[in-house]
Amino acid sequence: MIMSILETKKLSRSYGTFKAVDGLDLNIEAGEIFALLGPNGSGKSTTIKMLTTLLTPTSGEAFINGYNIKTRTDDIRRIIGYVPQMISADGSLTAYENLMLFAKLFDIPRRERKQRVEEALKFMGLEEVMYKLVKEYSGGMIRRLEIAQSTIHRPLILFLDEPTTGLDPIGRNVVWEHVSALRKQYGTTIIMTTHLMEEADGCDRIALMTRGKLAIIGSPKDLKDSLKKENATLEDVFIHYTTDNLTESGNNFHNVSIERKTTGRLG
Ligand SMILES: Nc1ncnc2c1ncn2[C@@H]1O[C@H](COP(=O)(O)OP(=O)(O)OP(=O)(O)O)[C@@H](O)[C@H]1O
């Protein structure tokens, strides 16, 4: 039997009476590159925050490497890395100094720190700029530094919240290459949120969320095949599963047709 490295059972989180994540069931295998996809406000970041122990679930359960996220937060923090949406590197320090801070934070033994920091910077392609101030870095370089920071302790799972937002296609590709290399070299499981179909298409599996619930889960091919439409794209999948049924929305067919007739008369 293949062991899941991450499992959630009816995982839920409410803000007041609003259910941001509503009964999420997920199983993620070790070494997968897994994407959480969905419209703004569908609950992706809330899910990541619960799984990284930053937010307590309202109900349901989740296990990471067998540890319960409610009771084993310290154990979980030791085996995960997290790159949030917001910038987490200090611009007034060099990359080397930023990474040294994280090496101390993660209790890397003093005698190993220098070597581990240099290795991590090299792995992310930053060895030539490691003594430059981070405020002089491009967006892509900052992202790679943040990934180096969050993986200095060689976590089993790396969580990335929209890792390539705001980057140009070249910066995006470089970040993506380095993320893939982490999986290849260290077997790191990667769980990311993204709004980019192209990025999701490169993942092993995708969980498409809408209104806090799982709409569909599977490989990019499974998702496209589910539409039973020739040459379906992930964008088609996204629209199909996340756009409100016309009869459910305020702008239903009846309203739209009345509006169009009125527009026609005005024209
Ligand atoms: N601290 C909070 N208090 C109240 N509501 C919140 C809070 N954080 C998130 N929400 C709401 O919960 C819902 C889910 O938010 P979340 O940030 O998880 O969505 P998301 O899918 O990550 O969105 P985006 O793609 O825009 O990052 C949204 O409606 C959001 O407004």
Side-chain angles (χ1 to χ4, degrees), residues 15 18 20 38-47 49 85 162 195:
Y15 296 108
F18 175 72
N40 291 121
S42 55
K44 305 178 296 294
S45 295
T46 303
T47 302
K49 282 183 193 147
Q85 272 184 36
E162 295 189 25
H195 280 292

Side-chain angles (χ1 to χ4, degrees), residues 134-238:
V134 171
K135 64 182 170 203
E136 292 166 23
Y137 276 25
S138 70
M141 286 155 77
I142 294 176
R143 264 315 190 211
R144 281 186 276 139
L145 170 61
E146 289 168 331
I147 294 172
Q149 286 175 176
S150 350
T151 52
I152 188 88
H153 58 308
R154 308 226 173 104
L156 294 178
I157 307 184
L158 176 62
F159 292 92
L160 299 160
D161 205 349
E162 295 189 25
T164 61
T165 297
L167 303 187
D168 63 31
I170 296 171
R172 237 184 268 153
N173 283 343
V174 179
V175 167
W176 189 243
E177 274 168 24
H178 284 87
V179 167
S180 308
L182 270 178
R183 191 252 296 258
K184 200 165 167 216
Q185 174 118 358
Y186 301 110
T188 317
T189 306
I190 313 282
I191 302 176
M192 64 164 71
T193 67
T194 182
H195 280 292
L196 299 170
M197 301 300 146
E198 189 194 330
E199 195 160 83
D201 227 341
C203 293
D204 297 318
R205 283 195 304 149
I206 299 170
L208 179 57
M209 292 181 71
T210 177
R211 295 169 188 249
K213 291 189 156 95
L214 198 59
I216 185 167
I217 185 167
S219 69
K221 182 176 181 308
D222 292 339
L223 266 55
K224 291 174 207 166
D225 287 351
S226 77
L227 295 191
K228 306 213 176 335
K229 176 187 157 191
E230 219 177 306
N231 300 321
T233 63
L234 262 192
E235 203 165 308
D236 296 329
V237 172
F238 189 92

Side-chain angles (χ1 to χ4, degrees), residues 45-56:
S45 295
T46 303
T47 302
I48 296 273
K49 282 183 193 147
M50 285 191 280
L51 296 175
T52 50
T53 74
L54 297 174
L55 200 62
T56 319

